[in-house]
Amino acid sequence: MGSCVIREGDNAILEFNNSFKTFVSIKRGSKVKIGKALCSLEPLIGQYYGIQFALAADGQTLEFKRPKTERDDGAPKDEWDANGTMDKNNSELLDRGDAHQNLKPEDIEAMRAAGMGGEAIVEALLANSETYESKTHFAQAKYRKRKAEKYMAQATLVRPTARALADAYFARSPQKIQNLRADSLALLLSLANIGAHAGVLVVETCSGLVTGAVAERLGGSGLVVSGFTGLKPPSLDIVRQFNFPASSKAGMPLALLRKVLPLLAPSGAFAIFANCLQPLAECMLALQVSKEAVALQLQESWWREHQVLPGRTHPEMMVSATGGYILTGYKVIRQA
Amino acid sequence: MVLHKKQDLGAPPPCIVDGDLVIVYEQFDAMKAVYVDAKQNIQSRFGCFPMKEWVGKPFGSRVCAKGKSQGWVHILAPTPELWTQVLKHRTQILYAADIAMICSFLELRPGCTVLESGTGSGSLTHSLARAVAPGGHVHTFDFHQKRTEEAASEFARHGLGELVTVQHRNIEALGFPEELHGAADALFLDLPGPWNVVASAAACLRPDGVFCSFSPCIEQVQRTCAALAAAGFTAPRTMECLLRSYEVHSQRITCDLDKADAAAAAATESKKRKREGSGGPAAEGRQKGGYSSAGDGREAFIAAS
């Protein structure tokens, strides 16, 4: 599929060090802040999404090079002896912060002015740290990674898929998407049976993320109708961040569960997301009493990521407590 | 037909046709897959259902058992999610939470080409097919001959014949066929040694293509991550996910204990008086908790996991 190539006019997500994310448009002439420099993303046109790049030593141009990571150094040393202890420890280490570092900010500034690249600065920082050598291999790797993130920020241009946009917004401004985490969005799409040729009614206050995600799954066959309550339609501005052809955008006003359930074809699947449990519990009870739907399920998605590195595999320390709740079911024909 | 059919807006909802796969919903946690055969009856705990009466009815209809049993069930149209809940297990299968995450993180869209190994019971395959239709394709492989045959006939019966190709092949030993090199937008592995397939996966995936592997053990994940890094894959993520289900109950909550005590005392007093009046045991039945009487306790819904 052609869309894996970066084209002029595309919207995209710019990631730094696989975490900080910002939204960009690829335009000739416009500049984006990378580190402390303003750079043109123009050289990215024609490259593939997912490309990794960094600022070159001149601090101005982009370099399509994957900065060195510890993986590139080959297999890590096995530092565990038979008793499972390491050959070094921090019993002698006093945390005096910057005092261990012989390079002062003005030295680093001078190195930059002399045209040294990020990689050279990182190497200099490691060489001028009094404690680096006494650290365990794992602690050294962590120290190198931290310095590399600062002095040789690695950027990636990411394709604005529903998955990537959900991740980016959840990290940046979760209130804009009602705390709809990427796993909950994935479930909404599956449980509501979204696929080509479906006619889908979306009523959302997630700034268009759900509408866009549904349109992405339909791929131009089928219909997305965006409904809302009240007098004014809510903003669907995230829809514009998907690189859709202009024709696949649709919108028309409609008014919620009791209002929209009659619009659903019998045997049709529905999925309702809320960032708190109580309203969905009330919906579920009402549907159980009215017998308008079967196979009702009120569920919460639980999601945990892991760091997987040789000898250092563990669950991530920072996880969000909840990604929201989803009520699903299938409409049935009520007996008269 | 498990996927949505192309139809005009405003067209009447599709009706059940002889030979269709339907999901018979009996009650919560009791569903089964049935291929409609108008010449047959189907026996369930709710009675005997002649299937000829189902033909022509819209999906979502309630159908009644014959005779005096007065039992009934609902007939639903199949979806990949419902199929996953009712299919005959030939292997362990993936469930809703994993399937949703896999389809989402593989960034599948209509028109994509996706590779899968092993096919197993075809649970995930149905969802992959939904995500890439129309115009896309699922190439799925399993090293078990009988399993591939059963899966292939199931896919054909479910209207997925044009979207899914099943092949008998040991992917771990042989890798994916060369004709798929450079052809895949996404790739999914559920194999005991996925790290053995990373090189072949790298050859098959297009630039910015997504690799996904499911493993029960963290040691398998570690070996696979190391192989991915060595093969030049970037931005790896390892995750677990599951679904927590909530039951919903309606319950009255007492907001004022003093008033509640007074009400309870009054109720005992009135009961005593009645008993004395009638001279017999209490005549009235128990009130249904929660719904019947008004008072200080407000109607509230309690949800518990």
Side-chain angles (χ1 to χ4, degrees), chain A residues 1 3-4 15 18 48-52 66 71-72 157-159 161-164 167 182-187 189-199 216-221 223 265-267 269 277-278 280-282 284-285 288-289 291 294-313 315 321 325 330-335, chain B residues 2-7 9 13 25 28 31 58-64 72 74-82 85 96-97 99-101 103-113 127 130-131 133-134 185 206-210 218 221-222 225-226 229-230 232-250 291 300-304:
Chain A
M1 308 196 78
S3 59
C4 57
E15 274 189 25
N18 289 325
Y48 291 113
Y49 276 105
I51 186 167
Q52 298 190 314
R66 195 154 63 95
R71 295 232 193 241
D72 302 330
L157 200 68
V158 177
R159 199 151 40 103
T161 59
R163 198 277 309 159
D167 264 349
D183 54 331
S184 297
L185 177 60
L187 275 162
L189 297 172
S190 273
L191 296 172
N193 193 20
I194 308 301
H197 303 310
E216 181 183 88
R217 287 282 172 101
L218 297 189
S221 358
L223 183 70
S267 197
L277 196 51
Q278 186 72 15
L280 292 185
E282 288 169 16
M284 181 158 168
L285 207 66
Q288 280 168 341
V289 171
K291 299 186 175 14
V294 295
L296 289 167
Q297 294 218 70
L298 178 49
Q299 294 170 311
E300 179 185 10
S301 176
W302 182 89
W303 187 18
R304 181 164 68 180
E305 291 203 60
H306 292 253
Q307 166 181 300
V308 179
L309 284 173
R312 284 153 292 168
T313 295
Y325 307 89
Y330 296 86
K331 181 177 162 176
V332 291
I333 298 170
R334 256 199 302 186
Q335 288 321 101
Chain B
V2 179
L3 306 186
H4 295 285
K5 282 186 206 126
K6 187 173 182 176
Q7 64 174 73
L9 191 66
Y25 179 90
F28 185 71
M31 282 189 274
F59 285 100
S61 293
R62 191 171 104 166
V63 293
C64 295
W72 45 267
H74 280 105
I75 314 280
L76 299 177
T79 67
E81 281 64 39
L82 287 170
Q85 292 175 60
I99 291 174
M101 288 297 258
C103 291
S104 182
F105 277 75
L106 287 179
E107 303 191 325
L108 300 177
R109 290 156 296 155
C112 279
T113 298
S127 288
R130 176 179 62 192
D185 297 290
R206 291 176 183 155
D208 201 34
V210 188
I218 198 72
V221 174
Q222 287 172 327
C225 284
F233 283 86
T234 58
R237 290 175 77 175
T238 303
M239 55 191 72
E240 313 169 70
C241 58
L242 54 85
L243 278 176
R244 178 184 286 165
S245 284
Y246 290 89
E247 265 180 45
V248 176
H249 300 286
S250 168
Y291 293 106
F301 306 105
I302 307 296

Side-chain angles (χ1 to χ4, degrees), chain B residues 115-303:
Chain B
L115 316 187
E116 179 196 29
S117 185
T119 310
S121 305
S123 166
L124 173 67
T125 319
H126 281 73
S127 288
L128 296 176
R130 176 179 62 192
V132 302
H137 205 86
V138 187
H139 294 272
T140 181
F141 300 85
D142 202 293
F143 68 178
H144 192 291
Q145 175 82 46
K146 185 86 172 47
R147 241 183 250 157
T148 55
E149 286 163 9
E150 286 184 18
S153 72
E154 223 165 61
F155 297 146
R157 201 164 186 185
H158 296 174
L160 305 178
E162 305 223 319
L163 282 167
V164 181
T165 308
V166 196
Q167 285 180 64
H168 173 228
R169 185 179 173 96
N170 184 339
I171 292 298
E172 230 182 276
L174 303 169
F176 289 97
E178 261 181 53
E179 55 268 29
L180 291 173
H181 284 190
D185 297 290
L187 183 147
F188 176 78
L189 303 177
D190 183 355
L191 298 171
W195 55 89
N196 294 314
V197 189
V198 166
S200 171
C204 291
L205 284 169
R206 291 176 183 155
D208 201 34
V210 188
F211 171 100
C212 176
S213 171
F214 175 94
S215 296
C217 304
I218 198 72
E219 291 84 354
Q220 292 169 300
V221 174
Q222 287 172 327
R223 290 188 72 169
T224 309
C225 284
L228 285 170
F233 283 86
T234 58
R237 290 175 77 175
T238 303
M239 55 191 72
E240 313 169 70
C241 58
L242 54 85
L243 278 176
R244 178 184 286 165
S245 284
Y246 290 89
E247 265 180 45
V248 176
H249 300 286
S250 168
Q251 192 182 312
R252 282 177 58 193
I253 291 177
T254 307
C255 299
D256 186 330
L257 289 175
D258 294 337
K259 278 192 186 167
D261 288 348
T268 316
E269 185 60 31
S270 110
K271 231 181 226 176
K272 204 167 141 196
R273 235 180 282 128
K274 268 190 193 158
R275 200 178 302 143
E276 281 162 358
S278 68
E284 72 258 71
R286 282 185 59 189
Q287 287 188 333
K288 275 194 226 154
Y291 293 106
S292 47
S293 60
D296 272 335
R298 284 200 336 183
E299 199 82 352
F301 306 105
I302 307 296

Side-chain angles (χ1 to χ4, degrees), chain A residues 223-298:
Chain A
L223 183 70
V224 196
V225 174
S226 169
F228 62 91
T229 58
L231 297 171
K232 201 169 140 262
S235 161
L236 297 178
D237 57 338
I238 297 180
V239 173
R240 286 196 298 271
Q241 286 178 302
F242 289 80
N243 290 322
F244 290 137
S247 62
S248 59
K249 288 171 192 163
M252 99 180 217
L254 276 171
L256 269 171
L257 182 70
R258 292 204 184 282
K259 291 281 183 200
V260 299
L261 206 56
L263 303 171
L264 184 65
S267 197
F270 61 88
I272 313 168
F273 170 84
N275 53 22
C276 43
L277 196 51
Q278 186 72 15
L280 292 185
E282 288 169 16
C283 278
M284 181 158 168
L285 207 66
L287 287 172
Q288 280 168 341
V289 171
S290 74
K291 299 186 175 14
E292 286 167 283
V294 295
L296 289 167
Q297 294 218 70
L298 178 49

Side-chain angles (χ1 to χ4, degrees), chain A residues 88-150:
Chain A
K88 292 173 186 166
N89 61 41
N90 62 8
S91 59
E92 302 290 315
L93 184 74
L94 286 172
D95 184 6
R96 293 188 288 121
D98 288 345
H100 295 302
Q101 179 54 257
N102 294 326
L103 280 186
K104 300 296 163 226
E106 46 276 23
D107 301 325
I108 296 167
E109 228 19 79
M111 290 162 79
R112 273 207 174 118
M116 275 176 75
E119 200 170 342
I121 296 178
V122 171
E123 293 304 329
L125 282 165
L126 302 189
N128 284 285
S129 161
E130 286 171 7
T131 50
Y132 185 75
E133 277 311 313
S134 66
K135 287 176 193 280
T136 66
H137 183 72
F138 292 162
Q140 285 178 350
K142 212 168 172 178
Y143 185 79
R144 173 190 284 275
K145 181 170 177 260
R146 223 169 43 227
K147 294 300 170 194
E149 281 177 1
K150 185 164 178 191

Side-chain angles (χ1 to χ4, degrees), chain B residues 22-41:
Chain B
V22 298
I23 307 296
V24 175
Y25 179 90
E26 295 176 343
Q27 61 185 36
F28 185 71
D29 269 6
M31 282 189 274
K32 58 186 174 197
V34 172
Y35 294 99
V36 176
D37 181 347
K39 294 188 204 70
Q40 301 285 322
N41 293 343

